Coordinates of all heavy atoms in Angstrom, one line a residue:
G173 N -11.6 23.4 0.2 CA -11.2 22.4 -0.8 C -9.8 21.9 -0.6 O -9.2 22.2 0.4
T174 N -9.3 21.2 -1.7 CA -7.9 20.7 -1.7 C -6.8 21.6 -2.1 O -7.0 22.4 -3.0 CB -8.0 19.4 -2.5 OG1 -9.0 18.5 -2.1 CG2 -6.6 18.7 -2.5
S175 N -5.8 21.6 -1.3 CA -4.6 22.4 -1.7 C -3.4 21.3 -1.8 O -3.6 20.2 -1.7 CB -4.4 23.4 -0.6 OG -4.1 22.8 0.7
R176 N -2.2 21.9 -2.1 CA -1.1 21.0 -2.3 C 0.1 21.6 -1.4 O 0.3 22.7 -1.3 CB -0.7 21.1 -3.7 CG 0.5 20.2 -4.1 CD 0.8 20.2 -5.6 NE 1.3 21.5 -5.9 CZ 1.7 21.8 -7.2 NH1 1.6 20.9 -8.1 NH2 2.2 23.0 -7.5
I177 N 0.8 20.6 -0.9 CA 2.0 20.9 -0.1 C 3.2 20.2 -0.6 O 3.1 18.9 -0.8 CB 1.8 20.4 1.4 CG1 0.6 21.3 2.0 CG2 3.0 20.7 2.2 CD1 0.1 20.6 3.4
T178 N 4.3 20.8 -0.9 CA 5.5 20.3 -1.4 C 6.6 20.5 -0.4 O 6.9 21.6 0.0 CB 5.9 21.0 -2.7 OG1 4.8 20.7 -3.7 CG2 7.2 20.4 -3.4
W179 N 7.3 19.4 0.0 CA 8.4 19.4 0.9 C 9.6 19.2 0.1 O 9.7 18.1 -0.6 CB 8.4 18.4 1.9 CG 7.0 18.3 2.8 CD1 5.8 18.0 2.4 CD2 7.0 18.8 4.1 NE1 4.9 18.0 3.5 CE2 5.6 18.6 4.5 CE3 7.9 19.3 5.1 CZ2 5.2 18.8 5.8 CZ3 7.4 19.6 6.4 CH2 6.0 19.3 6.8
E180 N 10.6 20.1 0.0 CA 11.8 19.9 -0.7 C 13.0 20.0 0.2 O 13.2 21.0 0.9 CB 12.0 20.9 -1.8 CG 10.9 20.7 -2.9 CD 10.9 21.7 -4.0 OE1 10.4 22.9 -3.6 OE2 11.4 21.5 -5.0
I181 N 13.9 18.9 0.3 CA 15.0 18.8 1.2 C 16.3 18.9 0.3 O 16.5 18.1 -0.6 CB 15.0 17.6 2.0 CG1 13.7 17.5 2.9 CG2 16.3 17.4 2.9 CD1 13.5 16.2 3.4
E182 N 17.2 19.8 0.7 CA 18.4 20.0 -0.1 C 19.6 20.1 1.0 O 19.6 20.9 1.9 CB 18.4 21.2 -0.9 CG 19.7 21.6 -1.5 CD 19.7 22.9 -2.2 OE1 18.6 23.6 -2.3 OE2 20.8 23.4 -2.6
P183 N 20.6 19.1 0.9 CA 21.8 19.2 1.8 C 22.5 20.4 1.6 O 22.7 20.8 0.4 CB 22.5 17.9 1.5 CG 22.0 17.4 0.3 CD 20.6 18.1 0.0
V184 N 23.0 21.2 2.6 CA 23.8 22.2 2.6 C 24.9 22.2 3.7 O 24.6 22.4 4.9 CB 23.0 23.6 2.7 CG1 23.9 24.8 2.7 CG2 21.9 23.7 1.7
G185 N 26.1 21.6 3.3 CA 27.1 21.4 4.4 C 26.6 20.4 5.4 O 26.2 19.4 5.1
D186 N 26.6 20.9 6.7 CA 26.2 19.9 7.7 C 24.8 20.1 8.1 O 24.3 19.6 9.0 CB 27.0 20.1 8.9 CG 26.9 21.4 9.6 OD1 26.2 22.3 9.0 OD2 27.4 21.7 10.7
S187 N 24.0 20.8 7.1 CA 22.6 21.1 7.4 C 21.8 20.7 6.2 O 22.3 20.3 5.2 CB 22.4 22.6 7.7 OG 23.1 22.9 8.9
C188 N 20.5 21.1 6.3 CA 19.5 20.9 5.2 C 18.7 22.1 5.0 O 18.3 22.8 6.1 CB 18.6 19.7 5.5 SG 19.4 18.1 5.3
R189 N 18.5 22.5 3.8 CA 17.5 23.6 3.5 C 16.2 22.9 3.2 O 16.1 22.0 2.4 CB 18.0 24.3 2.2 CG 17.0 25.3 1.8 CD 17.5 25.9 0.4 NE 16.5 26.8 -0.2 CZ 15.8 26.6 -1.3 NH1 15.9 25.4 -1.9 NH2 15.0 27.5 -1.7
L190 N 15.1 23.3 4.0 CA 13.8 22.7 3.8 C 13.0 23.8 3.2 O 12.8 24.9 3.8 CB 13.3 22.2 5.2 CG 11.8 21.7 5.1 CD1 11.7 20.6 4.1 CD2 11.3 21.4 6.5
L191 N 12.4 23.6 2.1 CA 11.5 24.5 1.4 C 10.1 23.9 1.4 O 10.0 22.8 0.8 CB 11.9 24.8 0.0 CG 11.3 25.8 -0.7 CD1 11.5 27.2 -0.1 CD2 11.7 25.8 -2.2
V192 N 9.2 24.5 2.1 CA 7.8 24.0 2.0 C 7.0 25.1 1.2 O 6.9 26.2 1.6 CB 7.2 23.9 3.5 CG1 5.7 23.4 3.5 CG2 8.0 22.9 4.3
T193 N 6.3 24.5 0.2 CA 5.4 25.3 -0.6 C 4.0 24.8 -0.5 O 3.7 23.7 -0.7 CB 5.9 25.3 -2.1 OG1 7.2 25.7 -2.2 CG2 5.0 26.2 -3.0
H194 N 3.1 25.7 0.0 CA 1.7 25.3 0.2 C 1.0 26.1 -0.9 O 1.0 27.4 -0.8 CB 1.3 25.7 1.6 CG 0.0 25.2 1.9 ND1 -0.5 25.0 3.3 CD2 -1.1 24.6 1.1 CE1 -1.7 24.4 3.2 NE2 -2.1 24.2 2.0
D195 N 0.5 25.4 -2.0 CA -0.1 26.2 -3.1 C -1.5 25.5 -3.4 O -2.0 24.7 -2.6 CB 0.8 26.2 -4.3 CG 1.3 24.9 -4.8 OD1 0.8 23.9 -4.4 OD2 2.1 25.0 -5.8

Side-chain angles (χ1 to χ4, degrees):
T174 302
S175 58
R176 182 176 69 179
I177 301 168
T178 302
W179 304 76
E180 295 175 284
I181 299 169
E182 176 189 350
V184 179
D186 64 352
S187 299
C188 288
R189 173 183 179 253
L190 175 61
L191 188 67
V192 176
T193 303
H194 194 162
D195 61 4

